[in-house]
Amino acid sequence: MESLYDAVGGQTFFEQLVRNFYQRVEHDPVLRPLYPSELDDSRHWLTLFLAQYFGGPGAYSESKGHPRLRMRHGHLKIGRNERDAWWNAMAAALDQTELVEPYKSAMLEYFTTSADWMINHDDQATTET
């Protein structure tokens, strides 16, 4: 059975998707503060991670070990606002690729699940009276 990685065009597809995504991150007031000033490493690792997750080469894990997404992002405050900004940027980046079904839905499903899983902060401030 062909992997999603192969079906969408391999590494070139994921490089373009991540390029599209980071073009949004660079100008997003919610996302930009979550990233280092230089984005090249972030682009590189996200490309490798997504390619691997969707059936491509295991270069991410070979270099960094198990993805452990929550642990790797644990130093960041990720609430609903950050989750939504990330998901919206990734969905818009995916829209730019002209990806067809069922691949687009499969990727959006993963992005939704991952974005939800990364929430580690409640945006709703509670006040006691």
Side-chain angles (χ1 to χ4, degrees):
M1 176 181 232
E2 184 178 47
S3 69
L4 189 145
Y5 175 86
D6 290 326
V8 301
Q11 196 70 18
T12 301
F13 170 83
F14 289 96
E15 289 168 357
Q16 183 61 51
L17 175 64
V18 170
R19 190 169 24 257
N20 295 345
F21 172 73
Y22 276 101
Q23 286 172 349
R24 286 169 170 68
V25 168
E26 288 176 8
H27 304 287
D28 188 289
V30 174
L31 293 177
R32 189 62 187 100
L34 301 176
Y35 289 87
S37 60
E38 175 54 50
L39 295 173
D40 287 343
D41 283 349
S42 297
R43 284 184 189 98
H44 173 75
W45 292 116
L46 182 58
T47 300
L48 292 183
F49 171 75
L50 291 175
Q52 177 179 307
Y53 182 85
F54 287 106
Y60 180 91
S61 289
E62 290 168 12
S63 295
K64 302 234 336 147
H66 189 283
R68 294 187 175 112
L69 294 178
R70 284 194 80 173
M71 181 195 77
R72 291 190 194 276
H73 296 85
H75 65 285
L76 302 170
K77 181 180 122 184
I78 302 173
R80 177 63 57 181
N81 197 31
E82 292 79 13
R83 176 255 183 243
D84 290 350
W86 184 91
W87 189 93
N88 288 331
M90 190 57 81
L94 191 58
D95 282 345
Q96 278 186 269
T97 67
E98 300 178 14
L99 189 61
V100 297
E101 295 298 343
Y103 310 114
K104 184 175 182 177
S105 290
M107 292 188 81
L108 284 173
E109 181 178 335
Y110 172 72
F111 295 149
T112 300
T113 302
S114 294
D116 290 344
W117 172 246
M118 297 302 292
I119 294 173
N120 62 12
H121 178 77
D122 184 3
D123 288 339
Q124 302 298 319
T126 58
T127 58
E128 295 191 26
T129 56

